[in-house]
């Protein structure tokens, strides 16, 4: 599989695999290890996590599997996130969900993630969401500290606008190598909110979360997803593509920003299906057919 250099020192796979839903897959540790190794066999080497996934359990489940075969660590790139402080039984004193992008919390969260993964470094740490109370100088100071200690090799953000990124960059000597945002035919906001223009200007590859709109593109349940499903179905028939999901990924790959989809499935056959997207070329008109289905109207 093609690798993408998202910074001079970080190369990740063309598709990333995400572990948000890991707990739902109900895999034993040995099953999970087998799953990870099978995903690696497909060429995907980059794995997306967050401290909060599975109510703070997914990192540790992944780490337990990794502990069974420590040699795998060097073959994978681990991404994780911090900053969301949800109301959770794990933190019974917390009354109100909030964000914390302060120095102390970032240091604490990184240490917890390292313990969970049974590793001594993270390849990429993202601030999970823009924080209305962010003091960018403090966040930057935490980044510099965990970078200097070798705990985190690269940094990025998630769900940020260009202005949010510029604000943090202004205080940071290290680059922000990516912004992980929701992109799919059902979520087009980043084509018009300045983010895509910013990514292209700066040469940033965005990571796309929920590329199948959390499965809704395959199993539509509202007017918009039905509309997109109908268009994808017609196009798959015309282009003789076996699966709607393959076409949906091909639509992301067609964009010049080099969007990197994060797969969310727990099924290997669906991962294989996704990777076939690299064999499909979409014409400009075909790309716009899907774009218009998402918009719900013709482009002016
Ligand atoms: N940064 C953020 O704020 C943020 C937010 C959300 C997610 N994420 C990341 O993005 C990753 C992907 O998000 P997502 O899980 O919502 O992705 P998605 O691909 O949009 O949705 C995956 C869901 O669709 C289902 N599905 C149904 N048919 C499918 C098919 N043919 N192929 C693949 N999946 C199918 C999957 O079920 P099966 O497992 O049964 O296949 C799964 O429940 C997450 O794991 C996480 O790492 C980041």
């Amino acid at each position: 599989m093609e690798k993408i250099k998202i910074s001079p020192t970080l190369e990740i796979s063309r598709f990333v695999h995400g572990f948000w839903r890991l707990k739902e897959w109900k895999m034993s540790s040995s099953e999970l290890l087998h799953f990870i190794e099978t995903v690696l066999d497909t060429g995907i080497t980059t794995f997306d996590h967050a401290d909060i996934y599975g109510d703070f359990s997914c990192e540790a489940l992944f780490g337990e599997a990794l502990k069974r075969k420590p040699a795998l660590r060097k073959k994978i790139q681990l991404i994780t996130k911090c900053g969301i402080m949800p109301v959770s039984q794990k933190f019974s004193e917390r009354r109100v969900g909030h964000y914390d992008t302060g120095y102390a919390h970032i240091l604490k969260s990184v240490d917890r993630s390292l313990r969970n993964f049974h590793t001594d470094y993270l390849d990429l740490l993202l601030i999970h969401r823009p924080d209305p109370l962010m003091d960018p100088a403090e966040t930057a100071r935490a980044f510099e500290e965990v970078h200097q200690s070798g705990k985190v090799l690269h940094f990025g953000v998630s769900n940020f606008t260009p202005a949010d990124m510029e604000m943090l960059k202004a205080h940071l000597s290290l680059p922000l190598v990516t912004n992980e945002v929701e992109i799919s035919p059902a979520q087009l906001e980043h084509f018009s909110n300045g983010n895509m223009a910013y990514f292209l200007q700066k040469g940033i590859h965005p990571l796309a979360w929920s590329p199948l709109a959390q499965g809704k593109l395959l199993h539509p349940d509202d007017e918009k997803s039905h509309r997109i499903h109908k268009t994808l179905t017609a196009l798959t028939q015309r282009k003789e593509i076996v699966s709607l999901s393959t076409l949906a990924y091909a639509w992301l790959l067609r964009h010049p920003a080099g969007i990197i989809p994060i797969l969310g499935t727990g099924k290997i056959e669906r991962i294989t299906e996704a990777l076939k997207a690299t064999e499909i070329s979409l014409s400009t008109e075909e790309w716009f057919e899907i774009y218009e289905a998402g918009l719900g109207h013709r482009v002016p």
Side-chain angles (χ1 to χ4, degrees):
M1 178 181 307
E2 188 196 347
K3 299 276 178 205
I4 297 197
K5 250 186 166 172
I6 62 168
S7 92
T9 49
L10 181 58
E11 208 169 56
I12 67 173
S13 47
R14 187 70 188 85
F15 292 79
V16 168
H17 197 273
F19 285 84
W20 177 26
R21 301 174 191 274
L22 170 56
K23 214 171 145 190
E24 294 167 26
W25 304 336
K26 303 207 184 308
M27 292 176 185
S28 68
S29 191
S30 63
E31 285 167 343
L32 177 56
L33 176 61
H34 178 68
F35 180 77
I36 294 168
E37 290 188 295
T38 315
V39 175
L40 283 169
D41 287 341
T42 70
I44 296 178
T45 57
T46 311
F47 298 117
D48 185 66
H49 288 265
D51 56 345
I52 58 168
Y53 288 172
D55 195 18
F56 296 89
S57 67
C58 293
E59 284 186 342
L61 289 172
F62 190 94
E64 279 307 308
L66 208 55
K67 203 169 126 189
R68 290 167 166 259
K69 208 158 182 187
L72 286 184
R73 176 64 188 98
K74 286 201 289 295
K75 298 182 182 166
I76 69 180
Q77 299 81 47
L78 273 183
I79 305 175
T80 198
K81 316 183 192 79
C82 66
I84 301 184
M85 314 289 276
V87 173
S88 155
Q89 285 184 345
K90 299 250 167 76
F91 299 95
S92 53
E93 75 291 353
R94 199 174 289 159
R95 279 187 314 107
V96 180
H98 58 279
Y99 303 139
D100 187 344
T101 51
Y103 177 81
H105 175 67
I106 292 175
L107 263 59
K108 198 168 149 190
S109 190
V110 164
D111 282 341
R112 187 176 53 201
S113 294
L114 293 175
R115 273 198 310 278
N116 284 340
F117 286 129
H118 297 284
T119 185
D120 55 4
Y121 71 98
L122 301 171
D123 295 278
L124 177 56
L125 176 73
L126 311 178
I127 295 292
H128 207 148
R129 288 198 167 268
D131 169 6
L133 278 179
M134 177 187 272
D135 174 346
E138 229 198 278
T139 307
R141 188 161 66 90
F143 278 8
E144 310 267 356
E145 164 96 26
V146 291
H147 184 254
Q148 234 167 30
S149 59
K151 291 178 179 177
V152 181
L153 306 186
H154 303 90
F155 300 88
V157 292
S158 181
N159 304 302
F160 272 42
T161 63
D164 297 323
M165 279 188 88
E166 285 296 318
M167 170 190 68
L168 184 52
K169 270 172 64 178
H171 295 267
L172 192 62
S173 66
L174 301 157
L176 293 176
V177 302
T178 193
N179 187 3
E180 181 174 315
V181 289
E182 183 180 7
I183 317 172
S184 78
Q187 177 49 275
L188 303 175
E189 72 167 312
H190 302 289
F191 295 100
S192 57
N193 69 1
N195 254 334
M196 284 300 172
Y198 182 77
F199 298 148
L200 285 162
Q201 183 197 348
K202 303 286 183 191
I204 292 172
H205 287 272
L207 303 186
W209 61 264
S210 294
L212 302 178
Q214 306 199 10
K216 271 194 192 186
L217 299 191
L218 288 308
H219 308 286
D221 65 357
D222 56 21
E223 197 192 318
K224 179 158 71 170
S225 49
H226 275 289
R227 206 170 53 226
I228 299 166
H229 185 264
K230 199 170 146 203
T231 301
L232 291 175
T233 305
L235 254 175
T236 45
Q237 285 164 0
R238 243 172 38 226
K239 291 179 73 70
E240 297 180 357
I241 299 166
V242 177
S243 144
L244 254 63
S245 72
T246 314
L247 178 59
Y249 292 116
W251 183 82
L252 290 173
L253 298 187
R254 173 70 171 76
H255 194 272
I259 298 170
I260 298 172
I262 311 176
L263 312 183
T265 181
K267 301 191 170 81
I268 289 292
E269 64 276 16
R270 290 181 167 175
I271 296 177
T272 316
E273 209 170 77
L275 305 192
K276 293 199 180 115
T278 55
E279 296 158 21
I280 293 170
S281 64
L282 283 185
S283 71
T284 302
E285 287 196 10
E286 288 164 344
W287 192 89
F288 270 90
E289 255 180 276
I290 297 171
Y291 186 71
E292 286 187 339
L295 284 179
H297 58 78
R298 295 277 165 88
V299 292

